[in-house]
Amino acid sequence: MAGGSAIRGSRVGAGPMGEAERGDAAPRLVVSYFCAHGHETRPAFAADAQVPETWDCPRCGLPANLDSANPPPPPKIEPYKTHLAYVKERRSDSEADAILTEALKTLRDRRARGELIY
């Protein structure tokens, strides 16, 4: 039993000799994209592929485009809305007062009749 190396029959420098064994690389097109933070991203595309107008910056996640002088602005982030905020969008103060008054009247009527309220 031979011990030592888990990889047998290899030596430093062994392996593929380059493009002769792997074949020729497909022609590539390197495109520069620029984000609002000034980062430049340079993905490579196949020469015959359609290049997208926008690309997400891998460093900051902002959208990037091909124009270095005029990158796209960061997207506007809407703050988290609570349930109450959504209700206030749908109801006016007068409508809310009317609904509350009706609910309180119903509750008081049930209590007056001696019904159990859970």
Side-chain angles (χ1 to χ4, degrees):
M1 177 173 161
S5 176
I7 302 174
R8 290 186 176 184
S10 65
R11 66 184 190 288
V12 174
M17 298 303 292
E19 291 187 7
E21 290 183 14
R22 292 190 307 250
D24 293 332
R28 302 255 178 218
L29 175 65
V30 177
V31 180
S32 292
Y33 289 92
F34 304 92
C35 73
H37 286 160
H39 303 138
E40 179 180 4
T41 305
R42 298 180 48 115
F45 297 97
D48 59 348
Q50 183 177 357
V51 177
E53 292 292 321
T54 60
W55 193 262
D56 289 337
C57 177
R59 289 184 62 194
C60 64
L62 291 177
N65 66 7
L66 302 169
D67 187 3
S68 64
N70 192 16
K76 184 177 180 184
I77 298 173
E78 297 274 336
Y80 173 76
K81 284 187 182 179
T82 63
H83 176 69
L84 181 59
Y86 283 111
V87 170
K88 286 183 176 182
E89 285 181 358
R90 294 191 313 261
R91 307 260 189 232
S92 68
D93 289 340
S94 61
E95 288 175 321
D97 287 338
I99 292 170
L100 179 61
T101 303
E102 181 183 341
L104 288 173
K105 180 184 178 309
T106 304
L107 182 64
R108 289 180 180 132
D109 289 345
R110 288 178 66 188
R111 282 188 178 168
R113 290 192 307 262
E115 293 181 26
L116 295 177
I117 300 170
Y118 294 102

